[in-house]
Each structure stands twice: as structure tokens, then as C-alpha cells.
């Protein structure tokens, strides 16, 4: 799965578990996400490693949230499934003899660091309960 999709799928999975309030299998979850159960199991594994989900194996197995939706932030989900990534910069070093080439990377890193901090601030103040509340409101 593409890196940029993991977060969206993780929020989808966590929201399903929060709204169902019972153990659900990766096959059942995959039906909602419209993806292969293997993809869901990878996401569930990352969420379990982060302490956000509890999964049990076997015929009566399934997954549930490890914490209440009010105690899980979108930043928790983001950090569970998205590895730290450095900002995308030039594939080749720019020309150091050029005034732009000499400085562009350091300028871009500062801008991208600020953008990342702003994103994390929003995710840190948005809980899974906020997401499920918005979903319930959207479905009337």
C-alpha cells in the first residue's frame, strides 16, 4: 500500500472499531475499506504495536480498540503507521555555484519542518471520538 494511504486506512479501521464497539475480523474490516484483508492486517499490526488496538487470533479472533476513542488522537494513528520521512528534496544536489542552488535545500527544509509541525498540532488535538462524531452526524 502506498505510504500516503496508510494513515487514511488506519483512521478508517480505528473509526470502524470505535463505532462497532465489538471485536471485528480483518475480513469484515476489509469489506468496509474495500481492500484486501492482508492490507488491513498490516495496519492492525502497526496499531497493535503502538498500543492502540488489541488483536486476538483464532476462530473467534478479531480486533478491538485498546483505548477509548477519546484517548486516541489522529497523531497517535499517524505515528503508528507512517514512518518518519525527510522532506522530498532534489534527486541530485543542486549547483552550488548558483545562488538559488546553493541555498534552496536549507530553505525548503525549514518550510517543510514548519508545515509538519502545523500538521502534527492539528492531528494531536483531533481525537478518534471527534472523527466518529463527525461520521455519525454525516450519516444523519
Amino acid at each position: 500500500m502506498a505510504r500516503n494511504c496508510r494513515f487514511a486506512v488506519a483512521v478508517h479501521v480505528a473509526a470502524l472499531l470505535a463505532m462497532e464497539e465489538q471485536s471485528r475480523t480483518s475480513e469484515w474490516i476489509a469489506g468496509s475499506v474495500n481492500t484486501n484483508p492482508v492490507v488491513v492486517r498490516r495496519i492492525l499490526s502497526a496499531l497493535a504495536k503502538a498500543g492502540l488496538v488489541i488483536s486476538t487470533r483464532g476462530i473467534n479472533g478479531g480486533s478491538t480498540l485498546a483505548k477509548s476513542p477519546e484517548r486516541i488522537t489522529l497523531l497517535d494513528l499517524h505515528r503508528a503507521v507512517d514512518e518518519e520521512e525527510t522532506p522530498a528534496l532534489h534527486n541530485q544536489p543542486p549547483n552550488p555555484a548558483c545562488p538559488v542552488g546553493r541555498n534552496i535545500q536549507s530553505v525548503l527544509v525549514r518550510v517543510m519542518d514548519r508545515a509538519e509541525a502545523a500538521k502534527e498540532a492539528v492531528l494531536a488535538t483531533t481525537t478518534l471520538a471527534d472523527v466518529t462524531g463527525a461520521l455519525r452526524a454525516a450519516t444523519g
Side-chain angles (χ1 to χ4, degrees):
M1 170 181 296
R3 252 188 62 53
N4 59 358
C5 295
R6 281 190 241 156
F7 173 67
V9 173
V11 174
H12 188 142
V13 167
L16 278 172
L17 295 177
M19 293 178 78
E20 288 298 314
E21 298 178 356
Q22 62 183 329
S23 184
R24 290 297 185 173
T25 66
S26 56
E27 289 81 10
W28 186 88
I29 296 167
S32 175
V33 177
N34 197 24
T35 192
N36 189 297
V38 171
V39 171
V40 171
R41 282 192 283 277
R42 286 184 188 135
I43 295 292
L44 287 168
S45 175
L47 296 177
K49 185 177 177 182
L52 303 173
V53 167
I54 298 169
S55 296
T56 55
R57 293 179 172 217
I59 191 101
N60 294 320
S63 297
T64 57
L65 291 179
K67 302 176 181 180
S68 70
E70 294 79 15
R71 293 185 50 224
I72 298 173
T73 68
L74 295 191
L75 184 58
D76 296 330
L77 296 170
H78 178 6
R79 287 181 174 163
V81 298
D82 285 339
E83 302 85 33
E84 286 298 314
E85 183 178 280
T86 57
L89 297 173
H90 297 77
N91 288 335
Q92 300 294 323
N95 181 351
C98 170
V100 172
R102 179 173 46 248
N103 298 301
I104 191 69
Q105 289 190 338
S106 63
V107 170
L108 283 176
V109 165
R110 286 193 304 270
V111 170
M112 297 307 292
D113 285 348
R114 286 189 0 247
E116 184 66 20
K119 176 181 84 172
E120 287 189 2
V122 170
L123 294 177
T125 60
T126 306
T127 67
L128 186 54
D130 296 329
V131 172
T132 57
L135 289 169
R136 286 185 176 102
T139 59

